[in-house]
């Protein structure tokens, strides 16, 4: 779903501030409101990181990026903020699922190396994993038990940095808009075409769509990505 830049900004930064407000009003939440808002943004950012690598012709897998980013962020929250039994249970289940995703991605990358007789898929694997771990570590540090006002200031400053960057160097219009908004005129054109030989183990996006954006429902701003906006935070 394509939305205006202003609405997208309001949703992203508004949800982050709403989470902080709830945590401040209800201390017993142990920061889980902001954790959920931050986790949702991190999940989409990790997807976009994988999309960006795929557009550059690198091997990547969306599940690897999201699993690593959320696991690292959640583990930092568990170790540094909330070590309760409930948090431990959720963290254990999450890590178990994430380990399965990482194992599948590793086997897929090794299979691509053997199939292509080239180590190039390992470069994409490393880039996907490194970016996801870094994003998870940065996002996880936001959830630690620091003063709420400091986090609010950080979110507001990040919003100002993003708007300044948007004004000075506007990001290009999202190339997926044409594909998502163009009417389908025939039965054959209405069906996505999938490339079973794609570099990642997931199905490729419909022909003409950038990365994997066409595969899933998500809010898409007219310019830039969530990753552009979330990195300053």
């Amino acid at each position: 779903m394509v939305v205006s830049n202003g609405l997208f900004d309001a949703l992203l930064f508004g949800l982050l501030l709403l989470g902080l407000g709830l945590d401040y009003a209800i201390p017993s939440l142990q920061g889980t409101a902001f954790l959920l808002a931050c986790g949702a943004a991190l999940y989409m950012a990790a997807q976009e990181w994988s999309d960006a690598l795929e557009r550059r012709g690198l091997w990547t897998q969306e599940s690897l990026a999201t699993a690593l980013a959320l696991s690292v962020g959640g583990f930092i929250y568990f170790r540094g903020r909330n070590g309760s039994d409930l948090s431990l249970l959720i963290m254990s289940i999450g890590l178990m699922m994430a380990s399965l995703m990482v194992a599948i991605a590793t086997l897929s990358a090794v299979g691509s190396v053997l199939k292509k007789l080239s180590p190039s898929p390992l470069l994409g694997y490393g880039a996907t994993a490194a970016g996801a771990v870094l994003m998870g570590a940065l996002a996880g540090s936001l959830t630690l038990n620091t003063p709420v006002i400091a986090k609010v200031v950080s979110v507001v400053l990040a919003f100002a940095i993003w708007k300044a960057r948007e004004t000075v160097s506007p990001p290009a219009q999202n190339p997926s808009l044409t594909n998502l908004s163009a009417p389908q005129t025939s039965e054959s054109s209405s069906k996505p075409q999938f490339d079973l030989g794609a570099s990642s183990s997931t199905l490729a996006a419909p022909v003409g769509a950038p990365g994997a954006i066409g595969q899933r429902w998500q809010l898409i701003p007219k310019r830039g990505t969530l990753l552009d906006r979330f990195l300053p935070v």
Side-chain angles (χ1 to χ4, degrees):
M1 178 179 177
V2 179
V3 298
S4 66
N5 296 325
L7 178 58
F8 192 86
D9 292 342
L11 287 172
L12 172 61
F13 293 99
L15 286 176
L16 292 175
L17 292 175
L18 177 61
L20 290 174
L22 290 175
D23 290 338
Y24 178 76
I26 311 174
S28 59
L29 288 178
Q30 292 291 321
T32 53
F34 183 68
L35 174 69
L36 293 176
C38 194
L42 177 62
Y43 180 80
M44 289 183 62
Q47 288 180 324
E48 292 173 347
W49 172 242
S50 179
D51 291 341
L53 293 177
E54 184 176 1
R55 289 195 297 272
R56 287 161 176 78
L58 293 175
W59 184 99
T60 186
Q61 194 171 81
E62 180 184 300
S63 59
L64 173 65
T66 55
L68 284 177
L70 292 177
S71 294
V72 172
F75 186 76
I76 291 175
Y77 169 80
F78 166 72
R79 291 289 296 176
R81 178 73 183 270
N82 184 1
S84 64
D85 291 340
L86 177 60
S87 179
L88 174 61
L89 174 62
I90 296 174
M91 191 68 232
S92 300
I93 296 174
L95 287 177
M96 180 177 63
M97 296 176 64
S99 64
L100 177 61
M101 295 298 99
V102 172
I104 292 174
T106 302
L107 292 176
S108 178
V110 173
S112 295
V113 170
L114 297 177
K115 181 179 179 180
K116 296 181 177 181
L117 297 179
S118 169
S120 60
L122 295 181
L123 177 61
Y125 180 93
T128 303
V133 170
L134 179 59
M135 283 192 293
L138 293 173
S141 66
L142 294 173
T143 67
L144 296 180
N145 195 17
T146 53
V148 172
I149 185 62
K151 295 179 181 179
V152 171
V153 171
S154 297
V155 173
V156 172
L157 284 177
F159 176 73
I161 292 172
W162 157 248
K163 297 307 289 185
R165 180 251 161 144
E166 187 181 33
T167 302
V168 174
S169 179
Q173 180 170 318
N174 196 312
S176 65
L177 297 185
T178 302
N179 299 291
L180 294 177
S181 60
Q184 302 295 339
T185 56
S186 67
E187 181 180 355
S188 61
S189 64
S190 65
K191 295 180 180 179
Q193 301 177 28
F194 296 104
D195 177 13
L196 296 180
S199 58
S200 74
S201 64
T202 58
L203 292 177
V207 172
I213 288 179
Q215 297 180 42
R216 56 181 181 265
W217 185 95
Q218 69 179 61
L219 293 178
I220 302 174
K222 291 184 177 180
R223 289 183 179 275
T225 63
L226 181 141
L227 183 59
D228 296 329
R229 295 158 167 85
F230 192 51
L231 278 179
V233 180

